[in-house]
Amino acid sequence: EEALMVHSYGYFKTLAIQATMPYRLWEFVVLYFLSASVQAGFGIITRQRGILVSCRFLIILPLPLACVFVSMFPLEWATIASTTVLAYVACLLYIAILHGVIPFISWLWSWLRDRRRKHQGHVDGQRTLVLLLWSTSVIASASFMFLYHLVKRDEVILNWKAAIAVIFWSCVVFTSGVLLSLAARTDDQGSDPVPTMKADELRTASTSGDRPSPRSNVSYLQMVAAVLGPTIPFAVAGKVAYALSLVSTGGQKDDEVFATWESEQWEGRGLMRLLQHDLVRCIVFLLVLNMMLLMARSSK
């Protein structure tokens, strides 16, 4: 079949078709996570995060990463050539996010903060930011989920399953906000991002790949945001749709078979019985992740 495609479309067009098939999206997400983790890990260990370092990875990383991926996941359609193309695009996307999107978000946040400071004379601390972000996440998630089913004229139900679904949505929105706040930080402690590096130091750290000042450790949190930001939405997309259905009577009725299977897999009482629910386990994971991110965000 591949030989027939090459004969019909040519090698490079066949390669492009194979690399852009919708069913290969999950492969792209895995490749992005792997490539971003390698680059972020190298940057954190060696304290090098310049764009030239990222460009070196763009050259040397895609082929070995594709070989490792194909050996770990021997899929019928995953050839070395097409997987290398996906790995190259994944590395390119990480570079675009780390050195393009995140600096823009950081600049925009600093500009908005400065304008707010001129009018109010202060900037809220991290505790206020967390409380505001969590309350906004809960209200926005609950409102959207119930309005969605009301518009569809589904019968809405309020019970513990619906509550767990709303909490899960809130955790996902809250995690996205925390990652966005990491991307928005410049070089400070807490939630008041104030640039403290000189212009020539920033220019050197961003272009040469030399060791940055210890005061620029916030850049490593931005690396974490670049790794997790695009990955988490794809990782929880299916569970988000599943949780949305649990707010309606029909969705909970359809969930009875899966709930019965889950209860058979988990035995025990108390906490173990509570953890038998897939969404509860995801909520615990997201809460622990957010706690770690907020602790890193507030540290020097």
Side-chain angles (χ1 to χ4, degrees):
E1 183 178 352
E2 183 177 357
L4 182 60
M5 289 183 64
V6 172
H7 178 74
S8 302
Y9 300 104
Y11 178 76
F12 292 104
K13 191 172 182 179
T14 299
L15 188 62
I17 293 174
Q18 290 178 336
T20 55
M21 287 295 180
Y23 55 78
R24 305 200 68 176
L25 179 61
W26 77 270
E27 296 178 52
F28 177 76
V29 174
V30 173
L31 287 169
Y32 176 85
F33 179 77
L34 293 176
S35 63
S37 299
V38 170
Q39 296 182 64
F42 178 84
I44 293 173
I45 293 173
T46 64
R47 302 182 64 83
Q48 298 180 17
R49 57 144 293 174
I51 191 172
L52 293 182
V53 176
S54 298
C55 290
R56 295 183 195 130
F57 275 106
L58 184 63
I59 297 173
I60 66 175
L61 186 59
L63 182 58
L65 188 62
C67 294
V68 172
F69 182 86
V70 171
S71 63
M72 292 176 58
F73 305 98
L75 304 174
E76 182 179 354
W77 57 82
T79 62
I80 292 292
S82 61
T83 307
T84 302
V85 173
L86 288 177
Y88 180 85
V89 177
C91 293
L92 194 62
L93 178 61
Y94 175 76
I95 294 174
I97 292 175
L98 182 62
H99 299 287
V101 176
I102 286 181
F104 174 76
I105 294 175
S106 181
W107 169 83
L108 182 62
W109 170 256
S110 298
W111 180 75
L112 293 173
R113 181 216 62 218
D114 291 339
R115 287 179 61 89
R116 184 178 181 183
R117 175 177 289 172
K118 289 179 181 179
H119 290 85
Q120 298 185 0
H122 72 279
V123 179
D124 295 334
Q126 176 162 298
R127 181 177 299 179
T128 304
L129 177 66
V130 170
L131 292 176
L132 179 62
L133 183 58
W134 176 251
S135 59
T136 303
S137 301
V138 173
I139 295 172
S141 300
S143 300
F144 176 83
M145 296 175 77
F146 286 106
L147 285 175
Y148 173 82
H149 289 288
L150 289 175
V151 170
K152 291 184 63 179
R153 297 186 178 181
D154 295 335
E155 184 178 353
V156 176
I157 185 171
L158 297 176
N159 56 11
W160 65 272
K161 280 190 175 181
I164 290 176
V166 171
I167 294 174
F168 172 74
W169 264 59
S170 303
C171 288
V172 173
V173 176
F174 182 77
T175 303
S176 302
V178 171
L179 292 174
L180 186 62
S181 71
L182 292 182
R185 287 193 60 188
T186 51
D187 200 355
D188 78 311
Q189 177 182 355
S191 62
D192 181 16
V194 180
T196 55
M197 293 181 68
K198 297 180 180 180
D200 56 345
E201 291 177 340
L202 285 171
R203 192 179 305 111
T204 301
S206 62
T207 58
S208 65
D210 295 335
R211 292 177 179 268
S213 168
R215 298 168 67 186
S216 66
N217 286 340
V218 68
S219 62
Y220 306 126
L221 297 180
Q222 293 177 338
M223 288 184 181
V224 175
V227 174
L228 298 179
T231 307
I232 287 182
F234 287 100
V236 300
K239 298 188 189 316
V240 166
Y242 165 65
L244 180 60
S245 68
L246 294 181
V247 182
S248 65
T249 304
Q252 292 197 8
K253 186 176 181 180
D254 295 337
D255 181 60
E256 291 178 356
V257 176
F258 178 66
T260 303
W261 178 82
E262 274 191 322
S263 62
E264 293 175 353
Q265 301 299 314
W266 290 74
E267 296 181 358
R269 297 179 180 179
L271 181 60
M272 293 302 297
R273 186 170 183 83
L274 183 62
L275 289 177
Q276 75 179 15
H277 304 287
D278 186 43
L279 290 183
V280 173
R281 297 193 297 271
C282 293
I283 289 172
V284 172
F285 169 77
L286 291 175
L287 289 177
V288 173
L289 175 63
N290 283 308
M291 186 181 302
M292 295 173 62
L293 293 176
L294 289 172
M295 290 175 60
R297 186 182 187 277
S298 62
S299 64
K300 293 184 178 180

